Amino acid sequence: MAENKIPYKIYLEENEIPNQWYNVRADMKNKPAPLLNPGTLKPMTAEELAPVFCEELVAQELNETDAYIDIPEEIQNFYKMYRPSPLIRAYFLEKALGTPAKIYYKFEGNNTSGSHKLNSAIAQAYYAKKQGLKGVTTETGAGQWGTALSMACSYFDLDCKVYMVKVSYEQKPFRREVMRTYGASVTPSPSMDTAIGRKILEQHPGTTGSLGCAISEAVEVATTNEGYRYVLGSVLNQVLLHQSVIGLEAKAALDKYGITPDIIIGCAGGGSNLGGLISPFMGEKLRGEKDYRIIAVEPASCPSFTRGKFAYDFCDTGMVCPLAKMYTLGSGFIPSANHAGGLRYHGMSSTLSQLYHDGFMEATSVEQTSVFEAAEQFARVEGILPAPESSHAIRVAIDEALKCKETGEEKTILFGLTGTGYFDMVAYEKYNDGVMSDYIPTDEDLKPGFDAIPKFPGNEF
Amino acid sequence: MAENKIPYKIYLEENEIPNQWYNVRADMKNKPAPLLNPGTLKPMTAEELAPVFCEELVAQELNETDAYIDIPEEIQNFYKMYRPSPLIRAYFLEKALGTPAKIYYKFEGNNTSGSHKLNSAIAQAYYAKKQGLKGVTTETGAGQWGTALSMACSYFDLDCKVYMVKVSYEQKPFRREVMRTYGASVTPSPSMDTAIGRKILEQHPGTTGSLGCAISEAVEVATTNEGYRYVLGSVLNQVLLHQSVIGLEAKAALDKYGITPDIIIGCAGGGSNLGGLISPFMGEKLRGEKDYRIIAVEPASCPSFTRGKFAYDFCDTGMVCPLAKMYTLGSGFIPSANHAGGLRYHGMSSTLSQLYHDGFMEATSVEQTSVFEAAEQFARVEGILPAPESSHAIRVAIDEALKCKETGEEKTILFGLTGTGYFDMVAYEKYNDGVMSDYIPTDEDLKPGFDAIPKFPGNEF
């Protein structure tokens, strides 16, 4: 391998970290459908969004025209703490697979939050601080987003209130402690802090909570406390915008060596990582400059792209948030209890949903035992213990590389390695002990979710 | 900060990773005292060491003359998986402290094992493989060494048997699972697998184990199983040799920018990180080319440098290993139960002990609540959650930087950030909850340990 000119890790220089985010919507002919006010069924205005979200973030959310948006210097400075992230040539994995394919991955786990979530957390915290707010509220499930936001708020000296799904709060005490170390308050949800929490606890005294309930609590706290706003780590257009830094860096690193990927692969829950990784490549594809095969990978147990409906639906279980047009399993959908890790959101980014609907990308779903098999194989040869979410992309990258082995094609594969699995060892333990199971919902299982999607003219599916 | 020419992170190029280790003993006038056979009190020969350690590692252990030893290509290849590690300018910390000091740290935590231990683990696994062995045995307490060795053995397809102190096995299930994910067998110690384990369990049925007992079990398994050898992650000369890669990279990165540190700080348990970090700087000091202030930082609860005796002592509690001349608290010393994390070994590297004895370095001890205070301050501004061990160095780096603030001196401080604290959140939780306590042993507490140090002519203290 010594003769190969491409290093194991391609690092950009510090001054090559992007100073603008890329807004893929500017290059889309069919724009993502706007958020709708659930009462009026009319597009949400900036004024209507302002009580929930920070002003500048609302502007970014609604901005469909500017292709590039400057990254404020304070955010650029923070990015230097952990960016540029390495683009890694998977020489070890290629050798282990015996494939002629060339595999690259953009690794976003080399920061304390352990994932790419920090890219948007620091931006959202910055705009909250700039607006003079006291703090922000959010929900977290697996905990990556809550950790990232805690770090970002600590940096800007903002209060950070995290509502953590109770079952995760109890099962992931280490995640909780990282957030506390960064000064965040972490409350198990449902809690007695909010009207919605008290109501849910009264109705279901033994509940261990859900992401939907935690969102409702966080939104309530943000809108009823002076100087607070709610922030979200995925799904939204603004989040994809911030996450474009992943794709921009990856593309710049590849361009340095004259490499053009044939296939780009990312895991997809709400779409934050996938949308960020593919954005500049998708831009070229949308402008007709280049073609790439782009694959979204989702869990078979939460198959919004591959089995969901493309329709307007609520973003939260409590049905208090605006309606978004997206591939959705219905806002009441909860993945089977045996599903490990994240990627458990019922819907999908509106932007990615539109791109998928228009045929600019593919989607596939994989079962979790095969995901952990890929994770372990990857860890053993590449030396990085991947997060379960990231391992969905690894699974498909390996499968594509093995296809190349059969055909002899030397395809170049790029995938996103979103984070590390240090806090997911309970799932690894299940896999190591051979007690992890797979679950694919039947059509019957999916029906109640679909039935709950609101019906109104134009929202047929 | 934008005008500053020194980047936040200095990365060497891949071809600048050292291809030779540096053996500081070659430049020492007073060589470290040799290991002694406890029966004959004569220096251990290569033949005597061969049943326990791999051949090439024995040669490295005894090599006092070659200043540079080639790093085999296979190890260099593996190093590319996670090296070069970044040398980070602590701009954020400097700003938070308001100090004119310039602070740099060499960060070794960006690999899945989470610490610098991998640098020696891969070398030891390589030589075991080269010798045609089936596998290796070792002990682990906090788990960093066991994790690193599991990764290294997985890479070379070697069997890896880890004896993990029972209390850690039970309290750190995630560490255990990472090792299992890399294919290692992890056995809680004391176990029924070994004669010494069965004996200890018979005498103390409820024991939760100790590092000394785990060492004895690992050595027994290595010496009674065909094709196995025992490996150790600290203390030994060979380990310091492998860890010199830390210091060599750090020095190369500083040299690129014409920076000379005034103060070099490392945490010290058995000496693996400290010895590695300081080695090329110490070489210059020993050769009279440059002067540096070098500070070892140890826990007040396990103060081998600052309160130990410089004498020949057993390396293990079971008193089966050779005698080493070192600063020691006695082989039966066990730190107070309230001590969190590693740095709990009763002795210290013979090489570092000699250098300290000869006045080439200083040592200081710090209490753990002040260590965690520094850890949290560092995490919040630098964005890296440090291991408790590493945070000993952070504490003293901050203290020295604050002295510079008082005097106005613009000193350059370099410290070693050995690893991350993801698996130490129980300790952070205690700190966050305000229930962490300090403990400094009294002279009376230390007396039984000292009394057990073997007495023979020339071993007076």
Side-chain angles (χ1 to χ4, degrees), chain B residues 318-346:
Chain B
M319 301 187 182
V320 297
C321 292
L323 295 165
K325 188 162 185 188
M326 55 185 179
Y327 281 86
T328 178
L329 298 164
S331 63
F333 178 84
I334 295 176
S336 155
N338 87 338
H339 173 89
L343 307 184
R344 47 173 65 240
Y345 187 61
H346 68 278

Side-chain angles (χ1 to χ4, degrees), chain A residues 63-75:
Chain A
N63 187 334
E64 296 183 335
T65 50
D66 296 324
Y68 288 94
I69 292 175
D70 287 344
I71 304 177
E73 196 185 332
E74 291 87 340
I75 299 175

Side-chain angles (χ1 to χ4, degrees), chain B residues 316-397:
Chain B
D316 66 322
T317 318
M319 301 187 182
V320 297
C321 292
L323 295 165
K325 188 162 185 188
M326 55 185 179
Y327 281 86
T328 178
L329 298 164
S331 63
F333 178 84
I334 295 176
S336 155
N338 87 338
H339 173 89
L343 307 184
R344 47 173 65 240
Y345 187 61
H346 68 278
M348 182 58 67
S349 145
S350 287
T351 299
L352 293 180
S353 292
Q354 189 64 47
L355 289 167
Y356 177 63
H357 187 70
D358 292 344
F360 289 104
M361 51 188 279
E362 305 167 28
T364 187
S365 71
V366 289
E367 295 176 44
Q368 69 178 357
T369 53
S370 79
V371 166
F372 276 83
E373 184 193 11
E376 191 160 289
Q377 182 175 18
F378 181 85
R380 289 189 183 190
V381 296
E382 287 288 320
I384 295 173
L385 185 82
E389 299 81 26
S390 325
S391 305
H392 286 70
I394 297 174
R395 172 73 274 162
V396 173

